[in-house]
Amino acid sequence: MDMMSGQSSPVLTDSSPMKESRVGMHSSLTSYSQSGTSFSTGKYIQIPKKKAGKLEDAMANGWLDAMKSSSPPSKKLFKDLNGGVLSSDDEFSYASWMCKHPSALSSFAEITNLAKGKKIAIFLDYDGTLSPIVDDPDRAVMSDNMRSAVRDVAKYFPTAIISGRSRDKVCDLVGLEELHYAGSHGLDIMGPVHKVSEAHYNSINSTDQQVFRTLVENVKDIEGTRVENHKFCASVHYRNVDQKDWPTIAQRMHDILTNYPRLRLTHGRKVLEVRPVIDWDKGKAVEFLLESLGLSDSEYVLPIYIGDDKTDEDAFKVLRRGNRGYGILVSPVPKETKAFFSLRDPSEVQQFLEALVKWREQSESGKRMTD
Ligand SMILES: [Mg+2]
């Protein structure tokens, strides 16, 4: 993407067809779009809570959905599910849901049977899949045992992490060099096969640097603001800003964004995120990675994607299409999903990964015995 800054209203232009590109905007924007942003409904964004009108109700509901989907289930429910004191209604609905989305652990033989003669490719979300969901995202750390399981899996199967976090952050959190990483919901992909994409990184980066600098310049006099550069997106944090300054931030963001029609704003927790408007999601990231890794022939490849929230559904959909592979939803409660299978929590994800490694080791040693 290049910035056509000579125009009175700068626009982002793509330097390659987006369908072939490894960069794009995650379609969570579609879900965020209710939440977000459109500065067109008023002169400024009123970030502080106020009496909500109809449209704002809808927006607020969208935010609530997004928050719910990224939050752990209530302690009570979690305790019920794990402590064997389920109410009969909960038990019934979970059991019915499990009929539709059986445990990937109890269906392990079925999965490996279908993988016979095929190469398995593993795609993993991070938060809520490899790490527990916690209130402070900086503390969503994966356990050493989980790290070992992922490391072992990557020894035998091409493995990629696809996260909503910035690629650098998820890379740091996972700490394994042998994996492929896709950050920003797949907008930002890194891996040994992605040398071809460097030019795109650079051109996108130059655009984002310009936007990033504009943001920094415009809020630097407001105490407590922090602008973070995620390479393809930027965040303006206002958690530590006096509430009286929030409207000023909102006004300035509005003014900046009117100059960048192909950027949009989405809301997080005390953070405003500026992102390019590009049709991209985790499903497209999976397709791109499969293609890049030479794994797009579904006759010989079985992709498995494990994730826990709404943004993972795009990947589940891609795999469900033509029974191409398996989506596994991580959830301790019934949820509408396009995933074939389910796992209850990250500890079951770990068990599943360990089982895959064991299965692969056994089949290799079996092969050696017969050779
Ligand atoms: Mg997640």
Side-chain angles (χ1 to χ4, degrees), residues 125-129 133 282 307-309 311-312:
D125 167 50
Y126 181 76
D127 291 273
T129 298
I133 292 283
K282 285 184 171 181
D308 74 315
D309 75 27
T311 62
D312 300 306

CSV table of all heavy atoms in Angstrom, one decimal, residues 125-129 133 282 307-309 311-312, ligand 1:
chain,number,residue,atom,x,y,z
A,125,ASP,N,-4.8,-20.4,17.4
A,125,ASP,CA,-5.0,-19.0,17.9
A,125,ASP,C,-4.2,-19.0,19.2
A,125,ASP,O,-3.7,-20.0,19.7
A,125,ASP,CB,-6.5,-18.9,18.2
A,125,ASP,CG,-6.9,-17.7,19.1
A,125,ASP,OD1,-6.4,-16.6,18.8
A,125,ASP,OD2,-7.6,-17.9,20.1
A,126,TYR,N,-4.0,-17.8,19.8
A,126,TYR,CA,-3.2,-17.7,21.0
A,126,TYR,C,-4.1,-17.6,22.3
A,126,TYR,O,-4.2,-18.5,23.1
A,126,TYR,CB,-2.2,-16.6,20.9
A,126,TYR,CG,-1.3,-16.5,22.2
A,126,TYR,CD1,-0.3,-17.5,22.4
A,126,TYR,CD2,-1.6,-15.6,23.2
A,126,TYR,CE1,0.4,-17.4,23.6
A,126,TYR,CE2,-0.9,-15.6,24.4
A,126,TYR,CZ,0.1,-16.5,24.6
A,126,TYR,OH,0.9,-16.5,25.7
A,127,ASP,N,-4.7,-16.4,22.4
A,127,ASP,CA,-5.5,-16.1,23.7
A,127,ASP,C,-6.7,-17.1,23.8
A,127,ASP,O,-7.5,-17.1,22.9
A,127,ASP,CB,-5.9,-14.7,23.7
A,127,ASP,CG,-4.8,-13.7,23.8
A,127,ASP,OD1,-4.4,-13.5,25.0
A,127,ASP,OD2,-4.2,-13.3,22.8
A,128,GLY,N,-6.8,-17.7,24.9
A,128,GLY,CA,-7.9,-18.6,25.2
A,128,GLY,C,-7.8,-20.0,24.5
A,128,GLY,O,-8.6,-20.8,24.7
A,129,THR,N,-6.7,-20.1,23.7
A,129,THR,CA,-6.5,-21.4,23.1
A,129,THR,C,-5.2,-22.0,23.6
A,129,THR,O,-5.2,-23.1,24.1
A,129,THR,CB,-6.3,-21.2,21.5
A,129,THR,OG1,-7.6,-20.7,21.1
A,129,THR,CG2,-6.0,-22.5,20.8
A,133,ILE,N,-7.6,-17.2,29.3
A,133,ILE,CA,-8.1,-15.8,29.2
A,133,ILE,C,-8.0,-15.1,30.5
A,133,ILE,O,-8.5,-15.7,31.5
A,133,ILE,CB,-9.6,-15.8,28.7
A,133,ILE,CG1,-9.7,-16.3,27.3
A,133,ILE,CG2,-10.2,-14.4,28.9
A,133,ILE,CD1,-9.3,-15.3,26.2
A,282,LYS,N,-9.1,-14.2,9.5
A,282,LYS,CA,-8.2,-15.4,9.8
A,282,LYS,C,-8.4,-16.5,8.8
A,282,LYS,O,-7.5,-17.3,8.6
A,282,LYS,CB,-8.5,-15.9,11.2
A,282,LYS,CG,-8.0,-15.0,12.3
A,282,LYS,CD,-8.2,-15.6,13.7
A,282,LYS,CE,-7.5,-14.8,14.8
A,282,LYS,NZ,-7.7,-15.4,16.1
A,307,GLY,N,-9.2,-22.7,17.8
A,307,GLY,CA,-9.4,-21.3,18.3
A,307,GLY,C,-10.6,-21.2,19.1
A,307,GLY,O,-11.4,-22.1,19.2
A,308,ASP,N,-10.7,-20.1,19.8
A,308,ASP,CA,-11.8,-20.0,20.8
A,308,ASP,C,-12.8,-18.9,20.6
A,308,ASP,O,-13.7,-18.8,21.4
A,308,ASP,CB,-11.1,-19.8,22.2
A,308,ASP,CG,-10.6,-18.4,22.4
A,308,ASP,OD1,-10.0,-17.9,21.5
A,308,ASP,OD2,-10.9,-17.8,23.5
A,309,ASP,N,-12.6,-18.0,19.6
A,309,ASP,CA,-13.7,-17.0,19.6
A,309,ASP,C,-14.1,-16.7,18.2
A,309,ASP,O,-13.9,-17.3,17.2
A,309,ASP,CB,-13.2,-15.8,20.4
A,309,ASP,CG,-12.2,-14.9,19.7
A,309,ASP,OD1,-12.1,-15.0,18.4
A,309,ASP,OD2,-11.4,-14.2,20.4
A,311,THR,N,-13.6,-14.4,16.0
A,311,THR,CA,-12.6,-14.2,14.9
A,311,THR,C,-12.1,-15.5,14.3
A,311,THR,O,-11.6,-15.5,13.2
A,311,THR,CB,-11.5,-13.3,15.3
A,311,THR,OG1,-10.7,-13.9,16.3
A,311,THR,CG2,-11.9,-11.9,15.9
A,312,ASP,N,-12.2,-16.6,15.0
A,312,ASP,CA,-11.7,-17.8,14.5
A,312,ASP,C,-12.7,-18.5,13.6
A,312,ASP,O,-12.4,-19.4,12.9
A,312,ASP,CB,-11.3,-18.8,15.7
A,312,ASP,CG,-10.2,-18.2,16.6
A,312,ASP,OD1,-9.2,-17.8,16.0
A,312,ASP,OD2,-10.4,-18.1,17.8
B,1,MG,MG,-8.6,-16.4,21.1
